[in-house]
Amino acid sequence: MSETLKRLAAVIESRKLANGGDPATSYVARLFAKGDDAILKKIGEEATETVMAAKDARRDNDPSKVLYECADLWFHSLVMLAQFDLTPQQVLDELARREGLSGLEEKAARKDELRDAGETDKH
């Protein structure tokens, strides 16, 4: 995992209320204090802003805003991961697991897993 991601994940983890994060002085601690819904809402906002920046980039032939908005989206996604006690490394591991799989095959395998889980629940 990149050193930047490691450092950022560690800072985010340190902002959790249980780790001494102070909502009065930390934006991330404030998000944690507001809970899941506030974090998820922020991701939705950032995802929309990323899409809009990409549309503008296509029109203006200037991708700089895409980079800026994508960084915001990634950052808030890291906050969400921390909220659910997940790490960037786990996401990278999942991507590595999927490497070499066709996207269609991977999607079909997930459908099969969901179907199998549903059949198990019925018994």
Side-chain angles (χ1 to χ4, degrees):
M1 182 168 61
S2 93
E3 291 304 312
T4 302
L5 274 179
K6 281 183 186 177
R7 286 191 307 272
L8 188 52
V11 169
I12 290 169
E13 191 67 29
S14 76
R15 299 300 196 261
K16 286 183 171 181
L17 303 181
N19 296 332
D22 181 0
T25 60
S26 166
Y27 168 75
V28 173
R30 195 171 316 136
L31 278 176
F32 283 135
K34 290 180 181 179
D36 300 352
D37 285 342
I39 294 167
L40 299 175
K41 180 180 176 189
K42 193 63 183 167
I43 290 172
E45 291 170 9
E46 296 302 341
T48 300
E49 290 172 10
T50 301
V51 169
M52 297 310 296
K55 288 177 142 310
D56 291 347
R58 181 179 58 200
R59 182 193 64 222
D60 302 336
N61 200 26
D62 177 12
S64 61
K65 290 180 182 162
V66 175
L67 187 62
Y68 179 86
E69 294 300 341
C70 192
D72 283 352
L73 179 58
W74 282 23
F75 175 81
H76 288 90
S77 294
L78 291 171
V79 173
M80 177 193 61
L81 288 172
Q83 175 71 4
F84 292 100
D85 295 320
L86 298 168
T87 66
Q89 186 60 56
Q90 289 173 290
V91 175
L92 293 173
D93 292 346
E94 176 60 16
L95 290 171
R97 183 191 68 77
R98 296 179 187 185
E99 191 174 6
L101 289 177
S102 149
L104 296 174
E105 289 172 356
E106 200 278 330
K107 187 174 181 178
R110 277 188 284 146
K111 269 185 160 176
D112 290 345
E113 288 174 13
L114 288 173
R115 186 195 67 238
D116 292 347
E119 290 174 2
T120 302
D121 292 343
K122 293 177 184 176
H123 298 289

